Amino acid sequence: MNPLLSAAPAIVAAGVEVFSAAVRAQGASVTDVDWRPPGFGAAADLAQLALDRRRAAANRTAVERLLAAGSHLVDVRPAREVLDLGDRMLLHSGPPLTWETASGPMRGALIGACLFEGWASSVEDAERVLAAGEITLDSCHHHRAVGPMAGVTSPSMWMWCLTDPVHGGQAFCNLNEGLGKVLRMGAFNDEVLTRLAWMRDVLGPLLQQAVRSRPEPLDVKAVLAQMLQMGDEGHNRNRAGSLMTLRELSPAIVAVDAPSADIAAALAFIGGNEHFFLNLGMPSAKLALDAARDVPGSTMVTVMSRNGTEFGIQTAGTGDRWFTGPANTPVGLFLGDYGPDDANPDIGDSAIMETYGIGGFAMAAAPAIVRFVGGTVPDALATTERMYQLTLAENPAMQIPILGFRGSPTGIDVLQVARTGWLPQINTGMAGRVAGTGQVGAGLVQPPQQCFEQALTALAEESRAAG
């Protein structure tokens, strides 16, 4: 005991900083431990999952499937040919909803789709058939599809058709309309409907012929990987990805037997749409996450999505079950005279990019994104560093140059989210809350905590049932 009492004290502190400060004020040396109590969740549920002997192997399996998945663009076809659409059915982003629970931009997109398909002759007529339940609504995710913002997909819209050459999965997404007043942002005026008609009659058929004529499929996963090397993060910044896609497809588009004016219009449209690639990146991410579905014991998130009213997540260990909470409203930068009061709560399937480990998780790869969504470059770097604490792996295919080409944080772990109390970061566009407005800005948002609380409880219950 004598050496212990005669030597200077060695103090290790965990918890609130006030204790460390008080000891240092007395001249003692203190080593602080970065420890914190669980962020949320019942202690019994946290313990159940932490002690589940299946968890490590199950999460490893889910991650291995996700990382191994590939993504090839193999065709472009109308939705009615590739999606299991019933008579007068519209797909939408996020968890299931009804006309009564739909937000302003979702209602605007549904109205526009009814007008586009000829199911209604006026806005009032569209509202009537939707309110009467004459149009069936279902989630894109229930049909192996994803859609940005409102995500509304109707039978006449052309779809990117992607396959996973490793696991054999398929995923689909409609074509990107560009920015501003567009259907996915809830706008439905003549400009929107005219553009959709052109995409149906001209752009879709051109892209179909071009994609089918290529000697080999476009490797979309490879484009995603290159984008991160070129300043994109794959969600709100797709400039490099869109240009690479134009480079890959333009020779085949030019060779299509079609009027030169149509070919010129198609190339101009793609070249002027910086988000053109997003609708290829999203189904690519979905392919990877669908490959990781249905792994009993896994706590990995396979879906994060929002419909403008609710935010929903799914996990590998609980299959197709949704865990939902009220969608938060993004915080960011606004267009023109729009402000916070004009923004609708979070909306869109595009959070599949963050679920895959890019987008908001890879902000460090795209410091220029802060000029579009707000924040600072140090914020972008810190966000990516924080997301490593919530994930199960690093994706070696999606490397971040400024972090020494470290793989992006991949595989959100419900247990780690609960332990840290940190929520996934999402970069997103903002739709106007009033139907017909269109885009009002872009910003940052997080899921509601209760989605993860529900998933934690369900996973713990499944673990107890499995013994």
Side-chain angles (χ1 to χ4, degrees), residues 337-352:
D337 295 329
Y338 293 120
D341 292 340
D342 299 304
N344 195 77
D346 199 18
I347 187 170
D349 287 333
S350 54
I352 196 73

Side-chain angles (χ1 to χ4, degrees), residues 149 185 233 235-237 306 328-335 343-344 346-347 350 354 359-360 363 369-375 425-431 439-446:
M149 301 307 288
M185 296 285 183
E233 38 74 78
H235 188 166
N236 255 336
R237 185 178 172 88
R306 48 272 212 266
N328 294 321
T329 301
V331 176
L333 304 178
F334 292 89
L335 303 174
N344 195 77
D346 199 18
I347 187 170
S350 54
E354 280 79 8
M363 286 180 70
I369 193 66
V370 300
R371 302 181 65 183
F372 190 55
V373 300
Q425 181 66 67
I426 298 168
N427 296 342
T428 186
M430 285 188 275
Q439 185 171 10
V440 298
L444 306 173
V445 73
Q446 293 179 322

Side-chain angles (χ1 to χ4, degrees), residues 20 55 59 61 76 95 109 122 151 176 185 198 239 241 249 262 294 344 367 425 435 463:
S20 302
R55 182 171 58 87
N59 281 339
T61 296
V76 185
S122 66
N176 194 284
M185 296 285 183
W198 175 80
R239 182 173 298 178
L249 296 182
D262 288 348
D294 301 319
N344 195 77
Q425 181 66 67
S463 176

Side-chain angles (χ1 to χ4, degrees), residues 1 3 32 38 40 59 73 118 122 128 184 210 231 298 310 362 368 382 413-414 438 458 466:
M1 293 292 291
D32 291 297
F40 59 82
N59 281 339
L73 172 63
S122 66
R128 180 190 60 78
R184 73 176 186 277
S298 173
E310 288 187 311
D413 183 6
V414 170

Side-chain angles (χ1 to χ4, degrees), residues 198 201-203 205-207 209 250 252-268:
W198 175 80
D201 299 336
V202 177
L203 182 63
L206 272 176
L207 290 174
Q209 294 182 65
S250 58
I253 292 174
V254 170
V256 170
D257 183 14
S260 59
D262 288 348
I263 292 174
L267 292 174

Side-chain angles (χ1 to χ4, degrees), residues 386-438:
R386 190 180 307 115
M387 294 302 100
Y388 284 110
Q389 308 305 312
L390 308 184
T391 48
L392 295 163
E394 299 178 13
N395 190 338
M398 305 296 154
Q399 297 179 351
I400 301 176
I402 200 170
L403 297 182
F405 294 92
R406 187 178 182 183
S408 67
T410 302
I412 301 168
D413 183 6
V414 170
L415 186 56
Q416 283 302 101
V417 172
R419 282 173 168 171
T420 62
W422 295 337
L423 294 165
Q425 181 66 67
I426 298 168
N427 296 342
T428 186
M430 285 188 275
R433 62 181 179 82
V434 177
T437 302

